[in-house]
Amino acid sequence: MTTDGLPHQAWSPMKNCPFDDTSMKAIAAAHNVSVAQVCLRWILERGCTLAVGTGDDPDTVAKYTAENLDLFNFRLAPADIREINKIASRRRRAL
């Protein structure tokens, strides 16, 4: 949330998601979710709104839709958020 009360929006949030990062994989495994879901949940927990899609590959649309809807069935632990914040700062940008 910005100081003027308007929420930040994350457009194309998967663009910077570190899918191959070992820590991200461990966090995802601990919650039994995908790394993409961890990235999206981190963005939500920071108070941002998401503009996500499911792509246009018919083989993955259903999977991605289900994952997007499942974002509200888990929460990241404070330690998870600290670790993701470190990853983001090393990359010098938001995930």
Side-chain angles (χ1 to χ4, degrees):
M1 192 74 64
T2 62
T3 55
D4 58 6
L6 298 172
H8 289 279
Q9 293 183 330
W11 288 77
S12 301
M14 296 290 77
K15 181 178 180 182
N16 292 317
C17 185
F19 292 102
D20 294 328
D21 185 272
T22 305
S23 295
M24 292 297 286
K25 289 179 180 180
I27 293 168
H31 293 283
N32 199 32
V33 297
S34 69
V35 172
Q37 287 172 292
V38 170
C39 287
L40 294 174
R41 184 67 209 188
W42 177 74
I43 292 167
L44 283 175
E45 291 191 20
R46 295 177 70 211
C48 296
T49 58
L50 296 170
V52 297
T54 57
D56 56 8
D57 181 346
D59 294 332
T60 59
V61 169
K63 176 183 182 257
Y64 293 163
T65 299
E67 285 187 359
N68 290 343
L69 293 172
D70 197 38
L71 292 176
F72 303 99
N73 291 328
F74 74 99
R75 292 195 59 98
L76 297 169
D80 297 335
I81 293 171
R82 285 191 300 273
E83 183 63 27
I84 297 167
N85 287 344
K86 284 195 283 187
I87 294 165
S89 68
R90 282 195 310 259
R91 295 168 62 91
R92 298 179 186 242
R93 59 182 160 209
L95 302 180

